[in-house]
């Protein structure tokens, strides 16, 4: 799993848009849904918050939402913290470095965008789902976006082709992604996702986004 420290953290915002088809649309459609489902005093837990893009995006929709940003990379959180300070958002943000503890928070909704595929399905994915569920209120929901297993024999090639021709990914970037598909990423299919989600305390995932290898779902916490 990438450490997202040092240069990896500093260059993340410049790289990610070249790697994920529909990256901006994913964030916009997520924000649009949250804007109509959450109350004005809602608390949003962002798991794997990185440099804070979700907070920066969502803060524009409601001036009274509070955010809990979690990440295991101190370097990424330091960048996020600087963004929050520069934009005057620090008083609305709680920063959490490291794993979530059982029932530490009671968020209204959680976001876990483009994180889960870095976690091995050897108990790690189940543990992360459990951590998220345990930090949601009784009626909480999870918005999950992730790299998934390809559904056709040509989906991965189409994904790389699009990233290179339309998003500006370099030849080296394409080669790195090919290697990562085999060595760094641990995608699952929708059936396995549903199994993990239900075991962790969620209802079956409801899809709301898909673009060349990446899919997004809403998971509601079970009563």
């Amino acid at each position: 799993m990438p450490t997202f420290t040092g240069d990896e953290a500093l260059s993340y915002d410049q790289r990610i848009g070249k790697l994920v088809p529909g990256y901006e649309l994913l964030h916009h459609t997520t924000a649009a849904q949250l804007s109509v489902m959450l109350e004005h005093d809602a608390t949003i837990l962002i798991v794997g918050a990185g440099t804070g893009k979700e907070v920066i995006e969502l803060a524009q929709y409601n001036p009274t939402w509070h955010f809990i940003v979690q990440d295991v990379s101190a370097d990424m959180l330091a960048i996020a913290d600087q963004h929050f300070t520069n934009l005057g958002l620090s008083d609305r943000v709680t920063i959490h470095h490291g794993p979530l503890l059982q029932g530490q928070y009671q968020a209204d909704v959680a976001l876990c965008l483009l994180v889960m595929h870095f976690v091995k399905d050897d108990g790690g994915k189940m543990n992360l789902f459990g951590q998220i569920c345990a930090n949601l209120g009784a009626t909480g929901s999870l918005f999950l976006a992730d790299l998934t297993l390809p559904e056709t024999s040509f989906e991965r090639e189409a994904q790389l082709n699009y990233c290179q021709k339309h998003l500006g990914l370099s030849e080296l970037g394409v080669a790195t992604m090919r290697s990562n598909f085999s060595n760094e990423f641990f995608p699952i299919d929708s059936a396995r996702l549903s199994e993990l989600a239900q075991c962790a305390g969620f209802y079956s995932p409801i899809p709301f986004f898909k673009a060349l290898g990446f899919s997004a779902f809403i998971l509601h916490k079970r009563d």
Side-chain angles (χ1 to χ4, degrees):
M1 179 174 178
T3 58
F4 293 111
T5 58
D7 289 342
E8 274 191 340
L10 291 171
S11 64
Y12 179 83
D13 287 335
Q14 286 70 47
R15 290 185 290 112
I16 189 62
K18 299 178 181 180
L19 301 173
V20 182
Y23 180 70
E24 293 295 337
L25 181 59
L26 167 63
H27 284 84
H28 292 164
T29 54
T30 300
Q33 293 176 90
L34 294 178
S35 69
V36 297
M37 69 179 285
L38 293 180
E39 301 292 339
H40 287 288
D41 59 350
T43 296
I44 301 171
L45 168 64
I46 302 174
V47 178
T51 59
K53 177 179 175 61
E54 289 90 350
V55 172
I56 295 168
E57 176 89 21
L58 293 172
Q60 303 175 52
Y61 281 79
N62 191 294
T64 56
W65 283 344
H66 180 77
F67 304 93
I68 303 163
V69 297
Q70 179 275 340
D71 207 288
V72 296
S73 169
D75 288 358
M76 293 283 267
L77 287 177
I79 295 171
D81 191 23
Q82 188 60 60
H83 288 326
F84 303 151
T85 298
N86 293 344
L87 294 171
L89 300 174
S90 296
D91 61 341
R92 299 167 58 187
V93 179
T94 299
I95 293 178
H96 180 106
H97 177 227
L100 295 166
L101 301 178
Q102 184 81 11
Q104 190 170 8
Y105 304 107
Q106 289 291 296
D108 297 289
V109 71
L111 274 59
C112 186
L113 306 183
L114 309 176
V115 174
M116 192 71 73
H117 61 271
F118 290 116
V119 181
K120 290 183 179 180
D121 191 13
D122 58 358
K125 290 185 190 294
M126 176 62 74
N127 183 57
L128 183 53
F129 270 119
Q131 289 177 14
I132 296 171
C133 190
N135 282 277
L136 284 170
T139 60
S141 300
L142 165 63
F143 281 66
L144 175 76
D146 205 26
L147 179 73
T148 52
L149 285 173
E151 296 183 2
T152 67
S153 61
F154 51 83
E155 186 172 21
R156 285 287 186 258
E157 287 304 312
Q159 180 181 348
L160 292 171
N161 180 278
Y162 185 87
C163 289
Q164 184 173 22
K165 293 185 179 300
H166 297 281
L167 301 182
L169 186 64
S170 66
E171 289 281 359
L172 178 59
V174 170
T176 299
M177 282 291 283
R178 289 190 190 279
S179 175
N180 287 345
F181 286 146
S182 300
N183 303 307
E184 295 285 347
F185 301 154
F186 307 96
I188 56 177
D189 60 20
S190 57
R192 178 57 176 158
L193 171 61
S194 182
E195 181 182 9
L196 288 170
Q198 292 188 61
C199 288
F202 293 100
Y203 290 108
S204 295
I206 303 168
F208 74 89
F209 175 91
K210 182 171 176 59
L212 290 177
F214 292 91
S215 299
F217 307 85
I218 304 172
L219 294 77
H220 298 299
K221 188 172 179 177
R222 290 205 308 266
D223 297 335

